[in-house]
Amino acid sequence: MSFEIEHEKWIKKHLSNRRGERKDALRRGHGYGNHMFAEKIWWTLMGHFTGLHPEYEVKDWRGRSYFVDFIWIVGGLRFVFEIMDYGSHGKDRSKYRLDLNRGLFLQSQECYVISISLDEMKENPSFVLAMVRSILAPYLAAIQDESGTVYRRFGKIERQLMRLAIRHDRIICPPQAAKELEIHKQTVIKYCRKLVEQGKFRAIPTGTAGKIYRYEYIGSIQSPDLL
């Protein structure tokens, strides 16, 4: 499956479904940096454009419309991606302030806002890819069936534990995790066991008695079954 073919089909589909300013915004806005994100980051990570919307119209706190570079909508989750060019604000402090306020407002509306440097994406795409993968991995699991890809959302504590495991070389120690997350140790153990049942953690037996003091995150953050 070719990126160029699928990318063209994806853009044409969105253009055909839009009218007026929404169509014009997509024609104007999906330029060099956005195309690079679609190819070097999103396509490399996902291999499809399901749920990803380019130049997506949202409302700010005043009810005024503007367009974010991308939004990924899957289930009840919304991830906004903004490609930031150093020169785009120039010396316009008002525009800089407005953009930051919009980002804050989106986060207050339970959107995950991810800002990406265009320069970094050009010079170090592997870093940007790794960071986006790490951000998205704990939230979703994709289950393949005959009808396509179905997404299931993990609970908040499960996501926190997977994220924590990734940060700590895939290993979770319940007392340490409880301290970092400020929750009870038994709560950590409960959710670690749930993640074992879901195939995301592995219990690590210790000593001849095989007591469990640690859990290992066994999901691949590069595999689509986590995204």
Side-chain angles (χ1 to χ4, degrees):
M1 189 163 44
S2 162
F3 163 77
E4 293 298 342
I5 292 173
E6 292 303 313
H7 178 264
E8 184 179 1
K9 285 166 57 178
W10 174 60
I11 293 297
K12 283 183 176 179
K13 176 184 175 182
H14 281 279
L15 285 172
S16 67
N17 290 334
R18 299 188 185 190
R19 300 291 182 271
E21 177 59 19
R22 292 179 180 180
K23 177 175 283 192
D24 291 341
L26 179 52
R27 285 173 173 159
R28 292 192 313 265
H30 194 71
Y32 172 73
N34 291 21
H35 188 282
M36 181 184 296
F37 173 83
E39 179 178 11
K40 301 297 184 182
I41 308 303
W42 193 262
W43 181 260
T44 301
L45 184 63
M46 305 294 258
H48 62 76
F49 294 108
T50 303
L52 185 68
H53 301 263
E55 293 299 323
Y56 187 84
E57 184 180 23
V58 297
K59 303 285 187 180
D60 66 15
W61 65 97
R62 302 162 300 182
R64 297 179 183 178
S65 293
Y66 72 103
F67 294 86
V68 296
D69 290 333
F70 299 95
I71 189 169
W72 187 39
I73 302 173
V74 54
L77 298 170
R78 295 183 296 167
F79 292 87
V80 169
F81 299 89
E82 292 278 41
I83 314 305
M84 309 298 287
D85 180 3
Y86 177 74
S88 62
H89 296 102
K91 296 182 179 180
D92 190 339
R93 299 179 71 91
S94 296
K95 185 176 186 304
Y96 175 71
R97 178 180 177 182
L98 180 60
D99 285 348
L100 291 179
N101 285 343
R102 283 170 168 168
L104 283 173
F105 176 74
L106 285 173
Q107 291 181 77
S108 77
Q109 302 303 300
E110 298 187 343
C111 286
Y112 298 87
V113 180
I114 302 167
S115 298
I116 296 172
S117 161
L118 176 59
D119 288 341
E120 193 68 30
M121 193 164 58
K122 287 192 292 186
E123 297 172 12
N124 193 6
S126 60
F127 168 77
V128 176
L129 177 62
M131 294 302 100
V132 173
R133 177 185 288 128
S134 182
I135 291 167
L136 297 183
Y139 290 92
L140 303 172
I143 305 169
Q144 297 291 337
D145 61 16
E146 293 180 358
S147 64
T149 302
V150 181
Y151 292 92
R152 176 170 56 83
R153 184 179 182 178
F154 286 109
K156 178 182 177 181
I157 296 176
E158 292 165 311
R159 298 197 309 267
Q160 288 177 326
L161 288 170
M162 285 189 284
R163 183 184 293 276
L164 193 62
I166 291 169
R167 292 205 304 266
H168 290 285
D169 296 323
R170 297 178 175 269
I171 300 298
I172 282 284
C173 299
Q176 178 185 358
K179 184 177 180 180
E180 291 194 39
L181 299 178
E182 298 183 337
I183 56 178
H184 197 278
K185 184 180 76 171
Q186 291 304 318
T187 301
V188 172
I189 293 171
K190 170 187 172 182
Y191 283 96
C192 282
R193 288 172 176 170
K194 287 182 66 175
L195 287 166
V196 169
E197 294 173 0
Q198 294 170 336
K200 299 303 174 186
F201 275 12
R202 178 179 71 87
I204 303 176
T206 301
T208 56
K211 290 187 176 180
I212 307 300
Y213 298 107
R214 298 187 302 162
Y215 295 85
E216 179 186 11
Y217 173 65
I218 58 176
S220 170
I221 62 174
Q222 298 186 27
S223 172
D225 69 350
L226 250 182
L227 296 168

